[in-house]
Amino acid sequence: MPAAVLAQRFDLAVVALSYLTAAFASYVALDLAQRVRTPEALVAHAWWIAGSLSLGTGIWAMHFVGMLALRLPFAVGYDTAVTLLSWLAAVGVSAIALRVAAGQTLTPARLTLGALSMGAGICAMHYTGMAALVLEPGIQWNWALVAASAGVATGTAAAALCIFFALRQLPSAWTRWGQLGAALVLGAAVSVMHYTGMAAAGIAEDSVCLSADALRGDNLGALVAGAAFALLMLTLVTLALDARSQRQTTRLQQSLQAATTELHERALRDPLTGLANRQLLDDRLQHAAARGHREGARLALLVINLDGFKLINDSFGLGAGDQVLRSMAQRLKGLARSDDTLARLAADEFVLMLEGEVAEAALAQVAQRLLDALAEPLGGVPGAGSHPLRLSASIGIALDDGSEPGEGLIAQADSAALSVKRAGGNGFAFFEAHMQAGVREQLELARDLRAALAGEAGSGVLALHYQPKIATAESAITGVEALLRWQHPQRGSVSPGAFIPVAERFGLIMPLGDWVIAEACRQLAAWRDAGLQMRVALNLSVQQLRQPDALVKRFEEALAQHGVDARHLTCEITESVAMDDAEATERTLRRLAGLGLALSIDDFGTGYSSLAYLRRLPVSQLKIDRSFIQDLETSADARAIVKAVIDLAHALSLQVVAEGVETEGQAAVLRGKRCDKLQGFLFARPMPADALTRWAMHARGGPLRFSTSLYAARDAEASA
């Protein structure tokens, strides 16, 4: 006859404690599952291991506390080894749960396999823990309730996985509330499973606990629960700190992305007007042309060249010219459609790109509206007083017929605009075949120059020639100015005055400037290795100054690659370029000075510099424009201007270089007025690096005088 089974009684306070432990563990589990999904493999692996230990301990503590809630009429204890085994089972089922939760999606197969694995692990943990209670006679199992508990365990595991993946879809503001509600539900489900399993255990009234001397104690449940709560709380705090760190990292990444986007946008915009620059125009033009050829749509370009703009600069200064350009840009933007592209190519030249309706009649109407808008009186210009200014424009129109690349279309429209300007301006014209000659020549030069930069065979050779600068006091060479030369295979020596404007018009001035910087640094390193210390001056274009990040980076790379001291390089910018967007120019020059480069203002006297502004620039040198040097021997006005410039520069602690010195008389006047350095054909024409090396080496035996040795070197170079 079977022994009578005890009616089970539970301590309700301990039951409540076990439920809270289960709910808390479920809440932490949902948080841990988010961390295991991190894309960094090492971090995800660390969270998986730590999370499995923490979550497993929390789940095991709930079951152990639940077992301690059972009140039996005899002293009980729990076998230590078997109890440890049940804890390992809890850690294992937690590892399975977190691994499944780390997946991107919850497929039916993954859900089924995960739920069955987790259900089996939960049952193993529970019934192993029950086995730690060693009784004689043993527990009599109600197998129907055992099966029910296994079903509840599997269902609870499936529900937990579904809830976790569902929480991913909630808005971030609702995530915490959803996680709390899910934890309460899961805690209840886990408790139901546990107490169903407990109900399946039949304990005889005359049972004796053989493990009474093992793990036991009236406060054991509170101790286990407290330890589990402490571990879970530590895990939760760690999760919170990690989440905060991730939010801060995300904000920093977003800020960095925004800053990068802004810098990229600035690199594609004209700093004065905010319009697209040549780089952005080329990109949009290529895409529009490809789209037009693919879809059969047409494309039109209007080049808008302001008439008489140079006169405004000459009469009222560069500040007034800048305001006029900004005002004209705003008028043009007001007429452009949202899908049109408006760009500024040069000081007074704009381009409007149109897609879609480009019939000649419609384009003529657009051009006339542009002319009318630009002709409106413009008031408030500095220096112009109360009289409003009126400007006109010359507009050239070119239609894409599929025969020309994007840059060819710009050249066509530009040729049409020039034809209007030659006819008196204030009008528009469509490109016609008789204008093609100039366009073809520009396109061919641009094509060959691009090939020369790429080092392609048959495109000619780019080289730097160097013209010496002579110190007046010592009559010795103190440095050189690097001047770009292009030897074309068919055209021969192409003048910089011919190919530099082409480079500016066709977007090649930046790669051309990069080549000059790299070649100058290479040559400086070669001279240094030959035992010759030299200072090289480079000319910078306005396009380079408008992209300061790229310019500074190019100097840094070239200096580092060749191991050249930055103090041996001087950057020369013309006075007009220095005053174009003066604030931006000052910031760029300060960044260049920060690299250790010397700075010089070229063609001084031809622009309208503010002396207060000039004092703020980190320049160390002024170069007097050659137009003042030519008349030194015959013009008292020229001598007075040169003296004033020299005295001004010396008062500002700047050195003065006079360029274009061609006669001994000019040199004598400049020496008398204490000009620091002289440069010109009187001493030497620009020469290749090897010729300059021979000349400089020849002069090292003693001071370089303005007599036999200097003129002999000049004549030898000229005859060569």
Side-chain angles (χ1 to χ4, degrees):
M1 178 177 177
V5 175
L6 288 171
Q8 293 185 357
R9 293 184 304 107
F10 293 90
D11 186 328
L12 295 182
V14 181
V15 169
L17 181 61
S18 69
Y19 167 70
L20 291 176
T21 305
F24 194 16
S26 299
Y27 186 87
V28 175
L30 294 171
D31 233 358
L32 279 168
Q34 300 285 350
R35 299 300 179 272
V36 178
R37 293 184 65 243
T38 181
E40 298 182 31
L42 185 60
V43 175
H45 194 67
W47 271 117
W48 179 58
I49 295 175
S52 298
L53 292 171
S54 176
L55 180 59
T57 301
I59 295 174
W60 173 84
M62 177 270 157
H63 284 272
F64 195 79
V65 171
M67 290 174 61
L68 293 174
L70 179 63
R71 289 294 177 249
L72 296 174
F74 49 83
V76 297
Y78 299 90
D79 184 273
T80 304
V82 178
T83 301
L84 179 61
L85 187 61
S86 69
W87 174 78
L88 291 175
V91 172
V93 74
S94 299
I96 295 173
L98 293 177
R99 178 60 66 193
V100 175
Q104 294 297 323
T105 58
L106 185 63
T107 63
R110 180 184 288 269
L111 174 62
T112 301
L113 181 61
L116 290 174
S117 301
M118 291 169 62
I122 292 172
C123 289
M125 173 200 64
H126 176 78
Y127 290 107
T128 301
M130 290 290 292
L133 184 63
V134 183
L135 299 177
E136 180 60 38
I139 297 174
Q140 303 172 30
W141 294 103
N142 183 333
W143 296 108
L145 290 178
V146 170
S149 69
V152 172
T154 303
T156 300
L161 292 175
C162 290
I163 288 174
F164 168 71
F165 280 91
L167 286 176
R168 295 184 187 177
Q169 311 303 320
L170 289 179
S172 57
W174 290 89
T175 301
R176 284 298 173 192
W177 290 108
Q179 186 173 322
L180 179 60
L184 295 175
V185 172
L186 289 175
V190 171
S191 298
V192 169
M193 179 271 156
H194 169 78
Y195 289 106
T196 302
M198 293 288 289
I203 301 175
E205 291 182 350
D206 58 350
S207 293
V208 176
C209 182
L210 303 181
S211 56
D213 294 334
L215 294 173
R216 58 171 295 171
D218 295 336
N219 297 322
L220 184 58
L223 179 63
V224 171
F229 264 88
L231 179 59
L232 291 171
M233 182 60 73
L234 178 62
T235 303
L236 192 61
V237 170
T238 304
L239 288 169
L241 293 175
D242 181 67
R244 180 182 179 185
S245 176
Q246 286 188 353
R247 287 193 298 270
Q248 290 177 338
T249 301
T250 300
R251 285 195 295 268
L252 289 174
Q253 289 176 339
Q254 291 173 345
S255 299
L256 179 60
Q257 181 63 39
T260 302
T261 301
E262 182 180 356
L263 288 174
H264 181 68
E265 181 69 16
R266 286 184 180 181
L268 298 176
R269 295 285 173 181
D270 173 59
L272 180 64
T273 63
L275 301 181
N277 62 10
R278 177 58 189 260
Q279 183 180 351
L280 181 56
L281 175 65
D282 285 344
D283 181 70
R284 292 187 178 178
L285 187 56
Q286 290 176 6
H287 283 85
R291 187 164 52 249
H293 297 164
R294 184 174 61 252
E295 300 173 1
R298 299 190 72 189
L299 171 70
L301 277 184
L302 286 78
V303 167
I304 305 151
N305 203 315
L306 299 180
D307 297 331
F309 177 73
K310 185 176 184 301
L311 184 60
I312 293 177
N313 275 342
D314 293 343
S315 301
F316 307 117
L318 293 173
D322 288 348
Q323 181 170 326
V324 168
L325 289 173
R326 284 191 288 264
S327 298
M328 294 299 104
Q330 287 300 317
R331 293 184 182 184
L332 294 174
K333 286 170 67 175
L335 293 175
R337 301 171 301 182
S338 59
D339 54 349
D340 295 338
T341 296
L342 181 63
R344 180 190 178 208
L345 287 193
D348 59 350
E349 186 172 85
F350 301 88
V351 173
L352 180 62
M353 185 183 78
L354 304 173
E355 295 183 78
E357 180 53 53
V358 292
E360 290 194 5
L363 290 172
Q365 293 177 355
V366 171
Q368 190 58 54
R369 285 198 297 270
L370 294 176
L371 290 172
D372 294 341
L374 295 175
E376 290 291 327
L378 180 64
V381 176
S386 59
H387 301 288
L389 298 179
R390 293 180 180 271
L391 273 76
S392 61
S394 301
I395 299 179
I397 308 171
L399 285 165
D400 178 25
D401 58 4
S403 62
E404 292 290 350
E407 60 187 24
L409 204 61
I410 295 176
Q412 288 183 348
D414 189 59
S415 294
L418 289 177
S419 69
V420 175
K421 191 174 286 289
R422 284 194 293 266
N426 194 25
F428 63 88
F430 287 86
F431 175 78
E432 297 178 1
H434 65 82
M435 307 172 184
Q436 190 71 26
V439 172
R440 285 296 179 194
E441 183 175 2
Q442 288 189 36
L443 287 175
E444 289 172 0
L445 274 177
R447 179 199 62 204
D448 293 345
L449 183 56
R450 186 177 289 108
L453 282 168
E456 297 179 10
S459 58
V461 177
L462 290 170
L464 288 182
H465 285 199
Y466 301 90
Q467 187 173 33
K469 296 179 181 180
I470 307 301
T472 306
E474 298 86 1
S475 301
I477 181 172
T478 62
V480 295
E481 179 180 1
L483 300 167
L484 187 59
R485 296 292 184 263
W486 182 19
Q487 189 67 28
H488 194 278
Q490 286 81 40
R491 302 172 184 267
S493 179
V494 182
S495 167
F499 69 81
I500 293 297
V502 170
E504 292 175 338
R505 182 163 299 279
F506 290 96
L508 296 174
I509 197 66
M510 285 300 292
L512 195 61
D514 290 347
W515 184 90
V516 169
I517 292 171
E519 175 61 18
C521 289
R522 186 201 64 77
Q523 186 57 55
L524 270 173
W527 279 328
R528 178 200 61 208
D529 295 342
L532 182 63
Q533 291 295 331
M534 192 68 69
R535 176 182 289 276
V536 175
L538 306 177
N539 294 284
L540 300 183
S541 69
V542 64
Q543 286 88 344
Q544 289 174 293
L545 292 176
R546 286 176 181 169
Q547 300 184 45
D549 292 334
L551 180 61
V552 171
K553 181 180 179 182
R554 192 69 188 100
F555 270 114
E556 289 175 338
E557 292 174 346
L559 291 169
Q561 179 182 357
H562 298 288
V564 174
D565 190 335
R567 293 175 300 175
H568 294 153
L569 277 178
T570 300
C571 296
E572 295 187 358
I573 59 172
T574 63
E575 185 181 9
S576 58
V577 167
M579 294 303 296
D580 183 18
D581 195 1
E583 296 296 331
T585 300
E586 180 183 352
R587 290 193 297 270
T588 302
L589 294 184
R590 292 200 178 279
R591 291 183 63 180
L592 294 175
L595 296 179
L597 303 172
L599 302 172
S600 173
I601 301 295
D602 199 4
D603 297 341
F604 188 78
T606 60
Y608 292 85
S609 296
S610 162
L611 295 182
Y613 172 67
L614 187 61
R615 289 181 57 195
R616 290 162 45 191
L617 294 179
V619 298
S620 58
Q621 187 181 91
L622 296 182
K623 292 187 72 175
I624 305 175
D625 186 66
R626 66 179 65 247
S627 61
F628 298 110
I629 306 302
Q630 292 173 351
D631 299 330
L632 275 180
E633 295 177 273
T634 58
S635 172
D637 290 341
R639 290 192 292 272
I641 292 173
V642 168
K643 183 179 187 304
V645 170
I646 294 174
D647 291 343
L648 167 66
H650 288 168
L652 296 175
S653 300
L654 303 178
Q655 288 194 329
V656 183
V657 179
E659 61 179 346
V661 181
E662 298 183 356
T663 68
E664 179 58 39
Q666 294 169 350
V669 173
L670 290 166
R671 287 196 298 273
K673 298 187 181 301
R674 298 185 302 117
C675 184
D676 300 293
K677 299 177 183 179
L678 307 178
Q679 177 183 348
F681 290 172
L682 173 64
F683 313 111
R685 295 178 179 273
M687 65 186 80
D690 55 350
L692 181 72
T693 302
R694 291 192 297 271
W695 182 33
M697 290 296 189
H698 175 74
R700 291 177 69 180
L704 189 60
R705 302 297 177 188
F706 291 116
S707 56
T708 308
S709 64
L710 182 59
Y711 287 109
R714 180 199 66 190
D715 296 339
E717 187 276 327
S719 63

